[in-house]
């Protein structure tokens, strides 16, 4: 049994919905379908979710926003028309949305969440109607009725444990389940939305609750790439990757989707198949618990810039018990999370995301480190990029670090930092942001030229 | 003007003292001579300092130790005889030592320090007598009269700031200053000794206070080697090395002497010349503030085993502000100092010296990390070796990490950890203790074969 999820771009227009229908009915295993709100039809288009936010914002300021309202309903209308669905479908959507917009606004956050969630909710209703219209047994299921209970954190809801047991019952549901993504209900029965890529989260939770054999995540790419396509033209596609590898790759700004969205599926050990709605016959990428190490030691290379390092040196630092801890204490006072902490004998460097480090925060921190820790020297280096090399094979293969650093040397890239030794599946290199592309290209050249991943 | 220091092996017998005399008088710049107590004449021999400790221990238990006492005086006697010094010299030593041993023992620590210090003090008196006997203007100077004031920490005294100004006056001293190493006086006028290699410390303090042009440190090796001679036969000798490089090399169990002993000279920017008493014409090693980068990027390779790593993994660890700090807090509760802290996305490893980590401490720490930090996994790996590659040239040279890791790969050594990015002059590799020799040999092969350092 499969749980299938379609993103906004896969549901942007009638033509796409027709594809989705074909995909679902072509495989009787596809039992539950999680849908997003209609996405962009082209680059200039606006997502329904964004229109809803705009509309809700106006209503919260006490003014109606007919333009946005009509634009939203219009999107569903055009789809319904093209699919020749009965008028009632759109009438229902129009009525319920209007009612929602005019509902209690005493809690703006809750109000906003409810309006945003309607994008998916109404789309699910429309799609269910479409399936029925095509003579397939399918029905819209409301997350509340299904028992998708979540914590009361608007925009960052977490599923409650009992949710999974409740969702298991959906296996007994007659016909195909059409399920809206992006939100659940708190214990008071109020709508609460997930974080970004919320539909991925819903799909992942559903797959886990229903104990699906596979969670199919349909997007608009053929597969997860071994490297950022903006850096390498037509990079190798990854056929099979482990959860761990996926997680480490997702870290450094590299991902088709937010890896945390997949955690419920990962935790339940359910394979995730990333596929392309427009190329459903392609195998896509399979994200699994374990894989055989067929290809080279490295499966992917990710990179991200926007890091800074704070260098602290003090004579006999390594004798001073508690120095590192007191240093981290200071960062914590500014609510800074650090990424890495390479250290020499009389020095420690702290690598952290630059956006956390405003000029003024930087000043205060440097000040405090000098005064409280009596450091001999404190320097801040900005604009670093981290390059992450990932692969389950690395820890068994002698010489991976050598190949990588040799490739960087060949490309004339100076290595500012190497961090290896904790993670078994990744190795990290710090370079100047200006060298990021060059560095990634050199490593890709070294590990992927000729190798099929 | 030069301050010269001779170690115990350079002062173990009359023959050695004759060499010392020749060395000192051969250069009129050699103004002050810091001496240790007579050291071993051969492998089976006992250092005078050790005999003194033995003797003092007995006296503290209320029993005289004539054997040890005679052995001590005997050492000075045999030297004095061979050098044909007047009987009074040894008589004086005998009398003063006897008086010292029978002095107030109410404070055992202070008593022990005073008895230990007499080894250097009496040797300085004997050597001064010898120089005078040879018709050279030289005299014993007592650290108290010279104003060598130190903190009241027996066995770990630190010089007080005013000391340096007082010692400057020694420049005006008539003739050569013969100065006992290893101890100073606290503000109450009591003897307090320095930590190990105490004579090196005295020499370093004297060089700094007297603003010497060079501090000559005479030992029994021709030079500082680029790598441990027990691992590489006849390794390259280092002609010139910077303070920073020396310090980093000294870290990983690598050193002719305790680098901290040289700090007063380093701080004052005084070059330190390590020379061999038995080969005084050899240039030895010059330790300087800055050097020209003539040879390759690497000047030395040091290694040390006996490290453990504590691996901690937890999902979303890198989002948890304060995780690293709380982890270090736990270590601190056990008074553990850590060496390095490589980190992945969901994991942190802590590298620390193994001897700190008893089975029971390990158990408790693992327990607490699991319970208090809710870690998913905590693993301890023992018997790691750290290999430190040092050189001022490294930061300007692209590809040093590549050469090193390639050399290790060629030797079939698996790299457990790489720590680079904080120190500008060193790079650290972690390997299994069993691979230490192989790893150091491979790196030496790579960076020194053919290059003269």
């Amino acid at each position: 049994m499969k749980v299938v999820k379609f993103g906004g771009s896969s549901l942007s227009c009638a033509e796409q919905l027709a594809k989705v229908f074909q995909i679902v009915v072509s495989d009787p295993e596809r039992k539950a379908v999680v849908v997003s709100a209609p996405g962009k039809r082209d680059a200039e288009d606006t997502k329904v979710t964004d229109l809803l936010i705009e509309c809700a914002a106006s209503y919260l300021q006490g003014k109606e926003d007919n333009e946005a309202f009509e634009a939203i309903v219009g999107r569903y209308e055009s789809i319904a028309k093209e699919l020749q669905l009965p008028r009632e479908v759109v009438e229902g959507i129009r009525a319920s949305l209007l009612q929602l917009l005019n509902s209690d606004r005493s809690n703006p956050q809750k109000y906003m969440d409810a309006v945003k969630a309607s994008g998916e909710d109404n789309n699910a209703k429309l799609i269910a109607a479409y399936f029925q219209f095509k003579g397939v047994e399918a029905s819209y299921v409301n997350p509340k009725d299904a028992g998708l209970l979540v914590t009361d954190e608007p925009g960052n809801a977490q599923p409650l444990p009992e949710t999974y047991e409740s969702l298991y019952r959906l296996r007994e549901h007659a016909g195909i389940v059409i399920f809206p993504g992006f939100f659940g209900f708190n214990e008071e029965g109020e709508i609460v939305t997930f974080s970004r890529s919320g539909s991925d989260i819903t799909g992942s939770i559903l797959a886990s609750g229903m104990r699906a054999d596979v969670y199919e995540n349909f997007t608009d790419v053929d597969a997860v790439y071994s490297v950022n396509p903006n850096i390498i033209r037509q990079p190798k596609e990854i056929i099979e990757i482990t959860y761990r590898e996926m997680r480490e790759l997702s870290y450094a700004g590299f991902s088709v989707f937010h890896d945390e969205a997949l955690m419920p599926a990962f935790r339940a050990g359910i394979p995730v198949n990333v596929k392309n709605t427009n190329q459903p016959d392609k195998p896509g990428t399979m994200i699994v618990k374990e894989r055989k190490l067929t290809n080279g030691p490295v499966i992917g290379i990710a990179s991200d810039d926007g890091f800074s390092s704070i260098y602290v040196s003090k004579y006999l630092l390594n004798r001073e018990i508690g120095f590192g801890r007191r240093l981290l204490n200071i960062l914590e006072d500014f609510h800074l999370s650090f990424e890495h902490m390479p250290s020499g004998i009389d020095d420690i460097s702290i690598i952290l995301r630059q956006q956390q480090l405003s000029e003024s925060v930087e000043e205060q921190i440097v000040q405090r480190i000098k005064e409280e820790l009596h450091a001999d020297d404190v320097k801040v280096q900005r604009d670093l990029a981290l390059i992450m090399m990932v692969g389950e094979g690395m820890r068994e293969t002698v010489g991976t670090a050598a190949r990588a650093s040799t490739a960087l040397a060949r490309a004339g890239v100076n290595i500012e930092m190497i961090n290896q030794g904790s993670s078994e599946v990744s190795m990290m290199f710090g370079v100047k942001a200006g060298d990021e592309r060059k560095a990634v290209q050199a490593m890709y050249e070294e590990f992927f030229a000729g190798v099929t991943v």
Side-chain angles (χ1 to χ4, degrees), chain A:
Chain A
M1 187 272 293
K2 300 175 178 176
V3 169
V4 195
K5 176 260 169 183
F6 292 94
S9 60
S10 307
L11 305 165
S12 58
C13 61
E15 184 194 355
Q16 289 298 80
L17 252 64
K19 290 180 191 167
V20 167
F21 177 77
Q22 281 311 320
I23 290 168
V24 174
V25 297
S26 69
D27 180 350
E29 286 297 299
R30 292 177 172 137
K31 173 69 181 172
V33 181
V34 176
V35 302
S36 305
K40 294 182 175 188
R41 288 158 295 190
D42 54 61
E44 284 63 44
D45 202 6
T46 313
K47 289 177 177 176
V48 164
T49 306
D50 295 333
L51 292 168
L52 286 163
I53 292 168
E54 184 186 331
C55 194
S58 315
Y59 271 78
L60 280 170
Q61 290 149 25
K63 40 184 154 60
E64 299 188 353
D65 184 339
N66 239 309
E67 200 183 317
F69 177 79
E70 288 305 335
I72 296 159
V73 178
R75 288 293 301 274
Y76 295 107
E77 201 160 23
S78 68
I79 294 170
K81 267 220 187 74
E82 268 197 76
L83 298 174
Q84 294 152 4
L85 302 184
R87 304 190 71 271
E88 299 70 42
V89 178
V90 179
E91 289 318 316
I93 292 175
R94 174 183 293 274
S96 72
L97 181 57
L98 198 57
Q99 187 189 14
L100 177 61
L101 286 167
N102 291 303
S103 65
D104 169 34
R105 293 191 280 274
S106 57
N107 182 332
Q109 223 177 6
K110 288 278 164 63
Y111 176 80
M112 180 58 84
D113 259 20
V115 175
K116 272 157 67 183
S118 74
E120 276 73 11
D121 200 51
N122 286 323
N123 211 27
K125 288 171 179 164
L126 183 148
I127 290 162
Y130 172 48
F131 275 53
Q132 288 154 12
F133 174 76
K134 299 278 282 182
V136 173
E137 187 182 16
S139 52
Y140 160 81
V141 172
N142 184 298
K144 192 185 224 161
D145 306 332
L148 207 178
L149 282 180
V150 298
T151 58
D152 192 24
E153 306 167 77
N156 189 34
Q158 306 295 328
L160 296 176
E162 55 266 44
T163 292
Y164 298 100
E165 286 321 306
S166 317
L167 293 174
Y168 186 72
R169 293 195 306 269
L170 286 176
R171 295 175 69 110
E172 309 313 321
H173 187 88
I176 296 168
V177 173
I178 309 291
F179 202 95
F182 190 41
F183 70 96
F185 287 81
N186 65 15
E187 276 154 326
E188 287 68 47
E190 300 166 310
I191 286 176
V192 193
T193 62
F194 295 121
S195 62
R196 67 193 178 89
S197 32
S199 300
D200 287 323
I201 298 175
T202 303
S204 184
I205 293 170
L206 222 60
S208 167
M210 294 176 73
R211 322 244 172 101
D213 304 309
V214 183
Y215 168 33
E216 291 182 322
N217 193 303
F218 280 86
T219 64
D220 48 14
V221 294
D222 287 351
V224 175
Y225 295 117
S226 53
V227 66
N228 183 342
N230 302 325
I231 296 182
I232 302 288
R233 247 179 64 263
Q234 298 173 323
K236 293 261 182 333
E237 294 174 359
I238 296 174
I239 293 164
E240 195 177 45
I241 183 172
T242 67
Y243 298 147
R244 290 205 297 177
E245 289 171 328
M246 191 66 212
R247 163 119 183 93
E248 304 247 352
L249 280 178
S250 304
Y251 166 71
F254 174 110
S255 70
V256 193
F257 37 47
H258 196 37
D259 69 302
E260 284 167 54
L262 300 179
M263 278 318 290
F266 288 179
R267 288 251 155 110
I270 296 166
V272 178
N273 192 359
V274 179
K275 288 173 73 74
N276 187 347
T277 304
N278 309 308
Q279 304 277 347
D281 300 337
K282 291 208 171 184
T285 298
M286 198 57 106
I287 311 173
V288 296
K289 202 174 172 63
E290 281 167 350
R291 68 177 177 94
K292 45 222 149 324
L293 304 175
T294 48
N295 43 263
V298 180
I299 196 161
I301 300 167
S303 68
D304 198 8
D305 59 0
F307 292 92
S308 291
S309 81
I310 303 174
Y311 167 89
V312 182
S313 77
K314 180 180 183 182
Y315 177 60
L316 291 187
L317 178 152
N318 71 322
R319 296 281 190 74
E320 225 175 288
I321 289 185
F323 188 94
R325 191 262 311 155
R326 298 209 308 283
L327 180 57
L328 294 182
N329 250 334
I330 294 177
L331 263 72
E332 205 175 335
D333 290 346
F334 292 89
H335 305 289
L336 301 184
S337 63
F338 75 99
E339 304 292 317
H340 305 289
M341 193 163 137
S343 59
I345 288 157
D346 292 338
D347 42 51
I348 294 184
S349 290
I350 295 199
I351 314 289
L352 67 173
R353 294 210 178 254
Q354 198 150 291
Q355 86 265 4
Q356 300 181 95
L357 200 66
S358 70
E359 295 291 335
S360 89
V361 168
E362 174 180 329
E363 241 171 57
Q364 297 172 61
I365 287 178
V366 171
Q367 185 77 350
R368 283 192 57 186
I369 294 173
K370 281 183 178 158
E371 284 170 3
E372 295 170 28
L373 304 183
H374 311 290
D376 298 333
D377 190 12
V378 183
K379 284 181 285 186
V380 173
Q381 182 182 7
R382 287 181 171 267
D383 302 319
L384 294 171
L386 293 186
I387 297 162
M388 177 94 112
M389 208 166 69
V390 177
E392 296 272 352
M394 292 196 318
R395 67 181 183 288
E396 274 112 37
T397 320
V398 170
T400 312
R403 287 177 64 187
S405 43
T406 305
L408 292 178
R410 244 190 271 107
V413 173
N414 194 13
I415 300 172
E416 302 289 320
M417 176 191 100
I418 303 177
N419 186 335
Q420 188 238 305
S422 194
S423 166
E424 290 179 312
V425 299
S426 74
M427 196 177 295
M428 186 168 290
F429 295 85
V431 302
K432 292 207 172 57
D435 287 337
E436 180 182 355
R437 290 184 72 85
K438 214 172 22 161
V440 172
Q441 283 158 353
M443 284 171 145
Y444 184 82
E445 195 41 54
E446 170 66 30
F447 289 99
F448 292 93
V451 188
T452 9
V453 181

